[in-house]
């Protein structure tokens, strides 16, 4: 998928692609390196270079990124005497070795800019300034050591440290956040750089889906360059998917869509992509002034201002800003009156003509969510009639390689993250049949409890606090009772001070009788089993698809905990990516042809409140401001790249932990794409039509329709010139209407992109004296 995604980024106006370098996947075993498949770093950098773009290589090696363990390998944790991210000899030695490995790999391939390659920037460490306080003097010394270590590699391009106010010269400290216009580097010799502008926010199980309005995002970008910014990066521009167990913890979801301009499936998200593309073009119209001009500031009123970049007295570019969040305004600048909506920036590349305003989205929209959602444009294959097989796991200890201890072991230190699961098993003796209360306390992240091999309870935490308690009334049989608890982690901690020693698993087990007489079983003899039986057998592997381990039958056991399911499907026709709908399942992990598509947890619903149908972009944004899908699962659709499937039958395997109904699973693909545009005859002139020193009144606004690469406009569903009503997918004629379908079809059918002028001269004047607009809805097909 890389070339197509990178090309869409380039078309969107990007010059540079940033990437992290994930230590835990490039060195999964100490001294054993891996740079293959989607972790082929050299190939990725060269693919960006082939597209004519630059690279910012964020080596770190700490990444955060909501990635498992922040990108650190778990073996690092078990080096004697090690402490992460501080002045600690064992850690510094390993970090320096990995940095050297990556730098040498790039040098060997001539990939730094001074060697003719695309890498213009590199990063050491990541957001350490947010946690440095927790490490005391050791943290301050570590920053200096990390900076000097990076400089010693002599890569001949600048190094940066983001969110690091004490970054030593010449390391460039940069800003991360929703807004960075007020950020000032720690030295006047350093450029003002923004390494992470959040296009949305990451997704966690049990939470609503966050999104960020494009008007606010564009406002933040324009303000940054208005105030002297030189380098800006979106986080994320393409969101992507955390396949397998790469999603970090606790409880970060598999989807990393991030409400990005290019969605998780690689499709362009409108209007975000198109509006930002026009913004980038407007800013680049000002480039010679921003780079070479002298900046002056002018107040235009309350919350109103202009920043002007002069090359000569009469040769300039300007940014006019209304940074108030409620009141629109008319301002006078250079003897002309300009309308500035609240929370917006207008860009004037010649100090006269507005080529772009951040609040005026020129109607570029696409229908539905970025995910592949059920609609007329989607092909859906139900697996209800597919042949299913299953395997029921043993509850509790299932092999001879178990271990015992007279205390409750911390989970990550015990499993070393080789599995999400750790079984805790002990015995409870009762002198008679009786009722009691069982109290279990856990550091997280979830646990399923069995008493005498029968499901008793399920408990779980959430992203911001993964710890939880289970309190359950139980009935004990006379004699020996078996207590089996399978503790589950959902991603190893990836952020925070000393994140590497944050634990998981049980820490208290107490039994109380009905008279509240308590017995602490935490120091009982416990037997431990790492992982599940199905994992040990390798049931996710394709070479076991026909194994006799699997049970076949016409009646599939449903709502069964700790069960593996297997079936096959023929991929729907087309070239586009696939989506697996797992709404009917509980919690678990899924594989297609042996490739893990990630963890699912469809039964964990978000709170019913906190979402809004429409989010006001005006005013400061945070991750909780704009949310959707309250009261629903965070994720039910799971990305399956088309390259992971083949013609004929494909193998689907699921490990269901809680209980679900696999017969209701479906495989989906997008076969058509709806694109829309709604533009007024007096809308802002699109920036790609803007010409310096021209009269804007002589330029005609245009409806612009763009299909995804490889797709073409096949039909026009709606085209009305007048005062059409509604939004994309629900356009309707207004009281003033001219049917312009034939003109739009002539301009657009069979093309990947097209533009249609919005003018009464072209379409006639169905209602004189009324400001008219053109609304178009078209269908793209592959």
């Amino acid at each position: 998928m890389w070339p197509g995604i990178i090309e869409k980024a380039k078309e969107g106006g990007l010059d540079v692609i940033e990437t992290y370098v994930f230590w835990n996947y490039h060195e999964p075993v100490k001294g054993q390196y891996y740079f293959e498949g989607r972790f082929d770093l050299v190939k990725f950098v060269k693919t960006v270079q082939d597209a004519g773009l630059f690279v910012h290589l964020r080596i770190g090696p700490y990444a955060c990124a909501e990635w498992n363990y922040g990108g650190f390998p778990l073996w690092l944790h078990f080096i004697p005497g090690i402490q992460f991210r501080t002045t600690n000899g064992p850690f510094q030695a390993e970090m320096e070795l990995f940095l050297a490995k990556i730098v040498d790999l790039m040098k060997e391939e001539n990939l730094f800019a001074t060697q003719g390659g695309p890498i213009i920037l590199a990063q050491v460490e990541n957001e350490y300034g947010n946690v440095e306080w927790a490490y005391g003097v050791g943290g301050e010394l570590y920053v200096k050591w990390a900076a000097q270590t990076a400089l010693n590699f002599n890569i001949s391009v600048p190094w940066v440290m983001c969110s690091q106010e004490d970054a030593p010269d010449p390391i460039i400290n940069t800003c991360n956040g929703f807004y960075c216009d007020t950020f000032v580097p720690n030295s006047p010799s350093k450029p003002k750089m923004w390494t992470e502008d959040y296009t949305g926010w990451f997704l966690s199980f049990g939470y609503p889906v966050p999104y960020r309005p494009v008007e606010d995002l564009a406002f933040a970008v324009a303000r940054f360059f208005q105030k002297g910014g030189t380098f800006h990066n979106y986080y994320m521009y393409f969101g992507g998917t955390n396949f397998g167990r790469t999603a970090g913890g606790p409880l970060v979801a598999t989807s990393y869509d991030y409400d990005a301009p290019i969605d998780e499936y690689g499709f362009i998200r409108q209007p975000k992509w198109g509006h930002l593309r026009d913004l980038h073009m407007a800013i680049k119209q000002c480039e010679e002034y921003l780079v070479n001009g002298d900046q002056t500031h002018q107040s235009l009123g309350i919350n109103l201002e202009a920043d002007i970049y002069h090359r000569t007295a009469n040769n300039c570019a300007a940014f006019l800003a209304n940074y108030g969040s409620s009141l629109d305004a008319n301002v006078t600048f250079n003897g002309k009156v300009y309308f500035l909506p609240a929370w917006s920036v207008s860009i004037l590349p010649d100090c006269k003509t507005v080529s772009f305003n951040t609040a005026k989205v020129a109607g570029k929209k696409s229908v539905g969510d970025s995910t592949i959602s059920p609609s007329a444009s989607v092909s859906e294959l139900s697996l209800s009639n597919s042949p299913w097989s299953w395997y029921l796991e043993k509850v509790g200890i299932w092999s001879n390689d178990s271990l015992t201890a007279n205390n409750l072991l911390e989970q990550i230190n015990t499993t070393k993250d080789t599995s999400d699961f750790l079984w805790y098993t002990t015995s409870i003796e009762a002198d008679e049949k009786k009722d009691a209360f069982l109290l279990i306390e856990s550091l997280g992240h979830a646990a399923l409890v069995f008493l005498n091999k029968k499901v008793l309870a399920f408990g779980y935490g959430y992203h911001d606090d993964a710890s939880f308690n289970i309190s359950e009334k139980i009935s004990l049989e006379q004699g020996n009772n078996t207590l089996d608890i399978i503790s589950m982690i959902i991603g190893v901690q990836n952020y925070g001070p000393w994140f590497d020693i944050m634990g998981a698993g049980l820490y208290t087990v107490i039994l109380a009788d009905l008279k509240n007489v308590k017995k602490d079983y935490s120091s009982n003899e416990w037997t431990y089993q790492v992982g599940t039986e199905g994992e040990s057998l390798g049931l996710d592997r394709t070479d076991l698809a026909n194994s006799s381990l699997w049970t076949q039958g016409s009646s599939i056991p449903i709502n069964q905990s700790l069960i593996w399911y297997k079936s096959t499907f023929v991929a729907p026709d087309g070239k586009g990516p696939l989506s697996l709908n797992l709404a009917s399942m509980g919690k678990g992990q899924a594989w297609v042809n042996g490739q893990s598509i990630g963890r699912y947890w469809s039964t964990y619903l978000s709170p019913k409140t906190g979402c809004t149908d429409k989010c006001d972009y005006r005013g400061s944004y945070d991750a909780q401001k704009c949310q959707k899908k309250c009261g629903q699962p965070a994720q039910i659709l799971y990305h399956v790249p088309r390259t992971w499937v083949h013609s004929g039958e494909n193998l689907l395997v699921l490990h269901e932990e809680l209980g679900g109904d696999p017969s209701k699973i479906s495989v989906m693909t997008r076969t058509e794409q709806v694109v829309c545009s709604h533009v007024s005859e007096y809308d802002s002139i699109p920036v790609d039509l803007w010409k310096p020193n021209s009269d804007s009144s002589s330029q005609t606004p245009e409806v612009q329709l763009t299909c995804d690469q490889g797709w073409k406009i096949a039909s026009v569903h709606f085209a009305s010139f007048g005062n059409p009503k509604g939004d994309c997918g629900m356009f309707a004629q207004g009281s003033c209407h001219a049917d312009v379908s034939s003109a739009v079809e002539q301009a657009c059918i069979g093309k990947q992109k097209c533009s249609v002028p919005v003018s009464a001269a072209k379409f006639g004047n169905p209602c004189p004296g009324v400001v008219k607009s053109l609304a178009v809805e078209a269908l793209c097909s592959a």
Side-chain angles (χ1 to χ4, degrees):
M1 296 175 68
W2 291 348
I5 292 167
I6 293 167
E7 188 60 36
K8 290 172 187 175
K10 182 179 181 180
E11 286 187 9
L14 270 63
D15 309 296
V16 185
I17 303 292
E18 284 193 351
T19 181
Y20 285 125
V21 181
F22 292 110
W23 189 357
N24 55 353
Y25 270 72
H26 292 307
E27 194 179 2
V29 177
K30 179 173 165 55
Q32 297 181 21
Y33 296 98
Y34 181 79
F35 294 96
E36 298 177 19
R38 60 193 180 98
F39 294 98
D40 188 338
L41 183 61
V42 168
K43 183 176 182 179
F44 180 80
V45 173
K46 288 184 175 179
T47 303
V48 175
Q49 183 180 27
D50 290 343
L53 303 182
F54 297 110
V55 171
H56 180 196
L57 194 66
R58 300 179 69 177
I59 306 174
Y62 170 72
C64 182
E66 290 70 57
W67 186 269
N68 203 51
Y69 215 36
F72 282 169
L74 248 294
W75 57 258
L76 199 65
H77 176 73
F78 296 97
I79 293 176
I82 200 165
Q83 288 184 323
F84 290 7
R85 305 178 82 194
T86 186
T87 45
N88 172 267
F91 175 76
Q92 290 168 296
E94 294 297 336
M95 175 172 163
E96 188 170 1
L97 280 173
F98 183 73
L99 288 171
K101 177 68 179 180
I102 300 303
V103 168
D104 290 345
L105 190 61
M106 298 299 104
K107 284 183 176 179
E108 289 166 6
E109 297 289 337
N110 297 314
L111 293 176
F112 287 106
T114 47
Q115 299 174 294
I119 301 173
I120 58 170
L121 290 168
Q123 180 176 311
V124 63
E125 250 300 340
N126 184 49
E127 295 184 334
Y128 188 71
N130 298 343
V131 298
E132 184 179 339
W133 58 269
Y135 297 85
V137 175
E140 297 175 18
L141 295 174
Y142 169 67
V143 171
K144 295 176 181 177
W145 171 84
Q148 190 56 54
T149 300
L151 294 172
N152 290 344
F153 290 120
N154 296 316
I155 62 174
S156 65
V157 300
W159 287 92
V160 306
M161 283 182 168
C162 65
S163 300
Q164 195 65 53
E165 293 181 359
D166 59 349
D169 295 342
I171 305 292
I172 303 166
N173 66 306
T174 68
C175 183
N176 287 1
F178 292 113
Y179 307 95
C180 283
D181 49 297
T182 60
F183 167 74
V184 178
N186 65 10
S187 167
S189 65
K190 298 178 183 180
K192 180 173 179 172
M193 301 174 71
W194 191 356
T195 35
E196 294 187 18
D197 178 0
Y198 309 125
T199 59
W201 201 242
F202 63 89
L203 185 64
S204 299
F205 291 121
Y207 285 68
V209 178
Y211 65 96
R212 187 180 186 186
V214 67
E215 297 94 333
D216 175 65
L217 183 56
F219 170 78
V221 177
R223 287 284 286 169
F224 177 70
F225 285 102
Q226 175 185 346
K227 297 300 182 181
T230 64
F231 175 95
H232 163 274
N233 178 76
Y234 294 103
Y235 191 100
M236 308 283 291
Y237 193 79
F238 161 62
T241 310
N242 290 320
F243 296 111
R245 298 171 58 242
T246 57
L251 283 79
V252 174
T254 294
S255 169
Y256 205 68
D257 180 80
Y258 231 92
D259 197 35
I262 301 173
D263 74 21
E264 177 180 3
Y265 295 85
F267 289 111
I268 287 171
R269 172 180 272 119
Q270 297 285 27
K272 189 165 277 189
W273 183 89
H275 191 56
L276 294 176
R277 176 202 60 185
D278 293 349
L279 168 65
H280 304 154
M281 296 177 71
I283 292 170
K284 287 174 183 177
Q285 292 282 356
C286 306
E287 181 174 351
E288 63 174 300
Y289 302 100
L290 295 172
V291 173
N292 301 303
D294 296 321
Q295 181 182 7
T296 58
H297 178 79
Q298 182 179 338
S299 175
L300 303 176
I302 298 174
N303 296 329
L304 303 168
E305 65 182 11
D307 283 277
I308 308 102
Y309 291 82
H310 288 272
R311 298 210 59 185
T312 65
N314 298 314
N315 191 5
C316 62
F319 293 77
L320 310 184
N322 179 351
Y323 54 93
S325 61
S326 58
L327 299 177
D328 299 341
N330 290 305
V331 300
T332 301
F333 175 74
N334 274 356
K336 293 179 65 177
V337 177
Y338 296 87
F339 173 68
L340 286 178
W343 205 253
S344 79
V345 176
S346 285
I347 300 175
L348 289 65
D350 62 351
C351 273
K352 300 175 184 176
T353 307
V354 176
S355 70
F356 185 87
N357 178 270
T358 59
K360 295 207 73 177
V361 182
K364 309 173 195 69
K365 297 182 179 180
S366 58
V367 75
D369 295 329
S370 64
T371 50
I372 302 176
S373 54
S375 72
S377 61
V378 167
S379 171
E380 184 170 8
L381 171 69
S382 171
L383 301 189
S384 59
N385 296 320
S386 298
W388 285 94
S389 303
W390 58 91
Y391 181 85
L392 280 169
E393 286 194 320
K394 292 182 177 66
V395 172
I397 306 306
W398 47 263
S399 81
N400 294 326
D401 62 354
S402 57
L403 59 123
T404 60
N406 291 322
N407 60 300
L408 294 172
L409 300 180
E410 192 278 324
Q411 183 166 351
I412 298 170
N413 284 317
T414 307
T415 65
K416 298 178 172 58
D417 197 34
T418 56
S419 170
D420 281 355
F421 308 101
L422 179 63
W423 280 104
Y424 294 70
T425 295
T426 194
S427 295
I428 299 175
E429 290 290 335
D431 53 10
E432 62 180 348
K433 188 173 182 177
K434 62 180 180 180
D435 292 336
F437 290 96
L438 180 67
L439 172 64
I440 299 171
E441 295 180 311
S442 174
L443 295 171
H445 306 154
L448 187 60
V449 184
F450 297 81
L451 181 64
N452 295 324
K453 306 302 179 182
K454 294 182 180 179
V455 175
L456 176 69
F458 177 63
Y460 52 91
Y462 56 101
H463 171 70
D464 292 311
D465 183 6
S467 63
F468 63 92
N469 299 335
I470 296 174
S471 181
E472 195 75 20
K473 185 177 181 180
I474 65 173
S475 296
L476 295 172
E477 299 293 332
Q478 184 177 5
N480 181 274
N481 294 264
T482 303
L483 180 65
D484 296 295
I485 306 168
I486 185 168
S487 179
M488 310 163 178
I489 59 170
I490 302 99
V492 182
Q493 187 77 31
N494 60 258
Y495 182 73
W498 305 105
F499 77 91
D500 50 297
I501 58 174
M502 293 184 184
L506 313 185
Y507 66 90
T508 302
V509 176
I510 293 175
L511 195 68
D513 63 21
L514 298 184
K515 297 179 181 179
N516 204 30
V517 176
K518 298 178 181 178
K519 182 178 179 180
D520 191 342
Y521 278 79
S522 306
S523 299
N524 218 40
E525 182 179 278
W526 290 86
T527 305
Y528 296 92
Q529 183 83 64
V530 174
T532 66
E533 184 186 25
E535 287 178 313
S536 177
L537 293 170
L539 293 180
D540 57 297
R541 301 199 323 249
T542 56
D543 60 349
L544 288 184
N546 298 316
S547 169
S548 60
L549 290 167
W550 293 99
T551 300
Q552 295 181 341
S554 58
S555 180
I556 317 167
I558 64 173
N559 299 322
Q560 172 74 52
S561 60
L562 300 184
I563 185 171
W564 292 72
Y565 294 109
K566 174 181 72 72
S567 189
T568 58
F569 66 92
V570 176
D573 293 337
K575 299 178 181 178
L578 306 175
S579 180
L580 198 62
N581 188 330
L582 298 178
S584 65
M585 302 306 292
K587 177 183 182 296
Q589 191 172 349
W591 293 261
V592 172
N593 294 328
Q595 298 274 9
S596 172
I597 65 168
R599 301 183 184 98
Y600 64 85
W601 197 346
S602 305
T603 54
Y604 197 172
L605 306 183
S606 65
K608 293 182 179 180
T609 59
C611 293
T612 54
D613 292 334
K614 290 188 177 180
C615 181
D616 189 348
Y617 69 86
R618 299 173 300 177
S620 295
Y621 177 84
D622 61 52
Q624 287 75 47
K625 180 179 180 181
C626 306
Q627 300 180 120
K628 57 186 177 180
K629 298 191 176 180
C630 284
Q632 300 179 45
Q635 182 179 1
I636 60 171
L637 301 179
Y638 287 78
H639 178 198
V640 182
R642 179 66 69 161
T643 54
W644 286 9
V645 300
H646 46 251
S647 59
E649 291 188 341
N650 295 273
L651 178 66
L652 171 64
V653 174
L654 302 104
H655 179 217
E656 174 57 49
E657 301 161 23
L658 300 180
D661 185 352
S663 68
K664 296 180 181 178
I665 292 173
S666 61
V667 181
M668 306 159 66
T669 189
R670 186 181 294 178
T671 56
E672 297 171 332
Q673 181 184 33
V674 176
V675 292
C676 298
S677 189
H678 190 182
V679 177
S680 165
E681 58 185 337
Y682 292 127
D683 264 344
S684 295
I685 308 301
V687 70
D688 41 1
L689 297 178
W690 180 85
K691 298 178 179 61
N693 304 317
S694 64
D695 179 5
S696 63
S697 64
S698 67
Q699 300 178 38
T700 305
E702 291 184 341
V703 154
Q704 297 178 349
L705 301 175
T706 303
C707 299
D708 231 79
Q709 291 174 2
W711 299 58
K712 293 182 179 179
I713 297 171
S715 60
V716 175
H717 284 183
F718 182 90
S720 174
F721 181 65
N723 59 354
K725 301 177 292 183
D727 295 319
C728 186
M730 295 183 291
F731 283 139
Q733 296 177 14
S735 58
C736 168
H737 165 68
D739 186 351
V740 295
S741 298
S742 58
V744 175
E745 289 171 349
Q746 185 176 1
C748 297
I749 296 295
K751 297 180 180 179
Q752 189 246 331
K753 60 177 70 175
C754 67
S755 57
V756 181
V758 182
S759 86
K762 180 176 178 63
F763 297 128
N765 196 342
C767 40
V770 174
V771 175
K772 290 165 283 296
S773 63
L774 173 61
V776 177
E777 178 181 316
L779 192 66
C780 303
S781 62

